[in-house]
């Protein structure tokens, strides 16, 4: 063992009376090493709780068999499901993952990227933070020869692989459903417009209003309304205004959830008085006093594709294959709030 008590391949080699290179090859199941020796190495490694050094492995092979994934928040079911699917797919190819959260901070996000690069990960998948930034992750990862992919939330301009939903169509489809149930004064809980996904949802919303013969009213767009706290604040403002909407398309579920609760406590019925559609299909939507209609974004598929595409890019690191931009299909899950 070394001075820190960590078991090394040299310790394994000494106990088996062989060389470190033989142990290394045996741990990788190289056919150059006899089956008897491979079994002996694996048995001893397990007995001594040997853990490979990813940095040393990276120096030897150019790969650490580790992927990094950065999400805005870990405490959201939506991102937790993406991480779970991402990890499952990575492990099928014998890759482990390191998870980091930006907590919506551009500074923390940059620190996470640098930390992952220092760990010699083979690739990084990022869903960007809500805080606006000028961080150039593409250039940073290029310098370190590390493939990068963006998923769900992607930068406004992007020349690397991405996995997203059709956010324009989501905004469009929301208005179509609300118009279908007879609503003609539709408001929008908008996300930060510097973020591509939210500006696209607003653009689709506006176009659908025009196509359905309705005028776009700027007063019915409630900006930066994607949190529980903001949903309560905006809902109370709506109730205090005589010119209230008869339906709302919310760019996220959380503001829609708190707004519905506020409406209910104030005696306003949904969907009779104000219909509501959200985005993300959070697991609690079905259990609200008024179940929330919402777009399911197929989060498991997003995680799976993000891992597959990143692994493919790693295997083709030396090529100049054109960036892929994959769109994952969404589904409107209709519930009482929009029926």
């Amino acid at each position: 063992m070394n001075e820190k008590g960590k078991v090394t391949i040299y310790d394994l080699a000494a106990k088996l009376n062989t060389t470190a290179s033989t142990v290394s090859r045996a741990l990788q199941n190289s056919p150059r090493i006899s089956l008897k020796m491979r079994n002996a190495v694996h048995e001893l490694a397990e007995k001594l709780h040997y853990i490979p050094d990813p940095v040393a492995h990276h120096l030897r092979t150019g790969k650490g068999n580790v992927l990094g994934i950065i999400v805005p928040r870990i405490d959201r079911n939506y991102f937790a499901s993406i991480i779970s699917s991402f990890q499952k797919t990575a492990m099928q190819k014998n890759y482990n993952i390191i998870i980091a959260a930006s907590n919506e901070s551009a500074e923390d996000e940059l620190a996470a990227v640098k930390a992952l690069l220092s760990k010699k990960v083979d690739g990084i998948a990022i869903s960007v933070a809500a805080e606006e930034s000028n961080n150039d992750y593409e250039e940073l990862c290029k310098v370190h020869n590390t493939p990068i992919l963006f998923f769900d939330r992607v930068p406004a301009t992007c020349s690397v692989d991405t996995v997203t939903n059709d956010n324009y169509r989501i905004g469009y489809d929301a208005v179509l459903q609300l118009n279908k149930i007879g609503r003609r004064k539709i408001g929008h809980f908008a996300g930060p417009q510097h973020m591509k996904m939210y500006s696209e949802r607003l653009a689709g919303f506006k176009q659908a209003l025009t196509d359905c013969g309705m005028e776009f009213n700027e007063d019915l767009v409630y900006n930066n309304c994607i949190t529980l706290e903001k949903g309560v604040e905006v809902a109370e403002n709506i109730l205090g205004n005589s010119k209230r909407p008869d339906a709302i398309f919310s760019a996220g579920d959380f503001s829609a959830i708190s707004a519905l609760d506020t409406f209910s406590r104030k005696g306003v019925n949904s969907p009779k008085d104000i219909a509501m559609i959200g985005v993300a299909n959070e697991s609690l939507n079905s259990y609200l006093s008024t179940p929330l209609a919402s777009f399911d974004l197929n989060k498991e598929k997003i995680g799976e594709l993000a891992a597959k595409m990143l692994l493919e890019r790693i295997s083709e690191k030396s090529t100049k294959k054109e960036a892929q931009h994959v769109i994952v299909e969404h589904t409107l899950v209709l519930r009482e709030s929009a029926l």
Side-chain angles (χ1 to χ4, degrees):
M1 295 186 185
N2 62 21
E3 66 278 5
K4 295 182 180 179
K6 181 179 179 181
V7 178
T8 69
I9 60 173
Y10 298 98
D11 299 318
L12 301 180
K15 288 183 177 295
L16 294 169
N17 195 28
T18 188
T19 65
S21 60
T22 296
V23 170
S24 177
R25 292 190 183 100
L27 288 169
Q28 297 173 59
N29 292 314
S30 170
R32 295 171 58 184
I33 307 301
S34 70
L35 180 60
K36 181 180 180 180
M37 177 58 78
R38 277 183 272 161
N39 288 339
V41 169
H42 282 286
E43 184 179 332
L44 182 61
E46 184 175 352
K47 180 180 178 181
L48 298 181
H49 306 294
Y50 167 75
I51 299 176
D53 184 337
V55 175
H57 180 72
H58 188 279
L59 290 172
R60 288 195 309 273
T61 66
K63 290 170 56 179
N65 283 63
V66 177
L67 302 180
I69 181 169
I70 303 173
V71 295
R73 305 187 71 91
I74 291 178
D75 59 351
R76 294 283 169 86
N77 175 66
Y78 176 74
F79 289 113
S81 296
I82 289 177
I83 291 170
S84 177
S85 180
F86 184 89
Q87 180 180 37
K88 180 180 179 181
T89 305
M91 292 185 72
Q92 289 171 351
K93 296 296 183 179
N94 297 316
Y95 275 74
N96 292 309
I97 71 169
I98 298 175
I99 305 164
S102 66
N103 296 310
E104 306 291 8
S105 163
E107 182 180 354
D108 289 353
E109 185 176 77
L110 178 59
V113 172
K114 289 181 176 179
L116 290 172
L117 290 172
S118 74
K119 297 293 184 183
K120 304 294 184 183
V121 297
D122 297 294
I124 302 175
I126 304 176
S127 181
V128 299
E131 185 178 16
E132 194 168 2
S133 80
N134 295 313
N135 294 332
D136 190 348
Y137 300 129
E138 291 185 35
E139 182 60 28
L140 179 59
C141 290
K142 184 179 179 181
V143 169
H144 288 266
N145 197 28
T146 303
I148 184 173
L149 171 146
F150 292 101
F151 66 93
D152 184 58
R153 299 182 185 180
V154 306
T157 58
C158 187
S159 60
V160 298
D161 297 335
T162 61
V163 183
T164 60
N165 295 104
D166 188 342
N167 290 294
Y168 179 93
R169 188 72 210 187
I170 287 170
Y172 194 96
D173 289 347
V175 173
L176 291 188
Q177 173 59 28
L178 294 170
N179 178 63
K180 183 178 179 180
I181 61 173
R183 305 310 161 101
R184 304 291 294 176
K185 195 175 180 183
I186 305 172
H188 179 44
F189 287 178
Q193 290 303 289
H194 69 271
M195 299 184 70
K196 186 178 181 182
M197 63 186 293
Y198 293 124
S199 63
E200 288 178 343
R201 287 174 191 175
L202 176 57
F205 168 84
K206 292 169 71 172
Q207 185 59 52
L209 289 177
T210 299
D211 293 349
C212 291
M214 291 179 271
E215 289 188 10
F216 171 70
N217 186 345
E218 190 73 48
D219 292 337
L220 296 183
V221 175
Y222 309 94
N223 295 313
N224 296 316
C225 185
I226 56 172
T227 65
L228 289 168
E229 297 77 12
K230 195 69 175 179
V232 173
E233 176 188 327
V234 170
E236 290 177 343
N237 289 339
I238 287 173
L239 295 177
N241 192 327
S242 59
K243 297 180 180 179
R244 66 176 63 162
D246 60 11
I248 295 168
F249 162 53
S250 177
D253 273 351
F254 283 92
S255 52
I257 289 168
S258 59
L260 279 177
D261 179 65
T262 302
F263 291 153
S264 177
R265 287 187 289 102
K266 300 291 185 177
V268 174
N269 179 271
S270 181
K272 180 183 176 182
D273 300 317
I274 302 178
M276 182 80 75
I277 293 177
V279 179
N281 197 31
E282 293 287 346
S283 56
L284 71 162
N285 289 1
S286 298
Y287 303 100
L288 302 174
S289 57
T290 301
L292 175 63
S294 182
F295 287 95
D296 189 288
L297 304 180
N298 205 344
K299 48 193 177 289
E300 291 80 10
K301 191 66 176 179
I302 291 173
E304 176 190 345
L305 285 173
K308 283 184 176 179
M309 290 168 62
L310 192 54
L311 289 169
E312 181 181 339
R313 185 63 67 181
I314 290 166
S315 69
E316 299 174 348
K317 191 183 289 188
S318 60
T319 69
K320 293 185 178 180
K321 184 178 178 182
E322 195 172 304
Q324 300 181 74
H325 303 292
V326 176
I327 304 295
V328 176
E329 187 175 353
H330 62 268
T331 304
L332 176 56
V333 181
L334 281 174
R335 298 190 181 94
E336 187 179 334
S337 71
L339 291 174

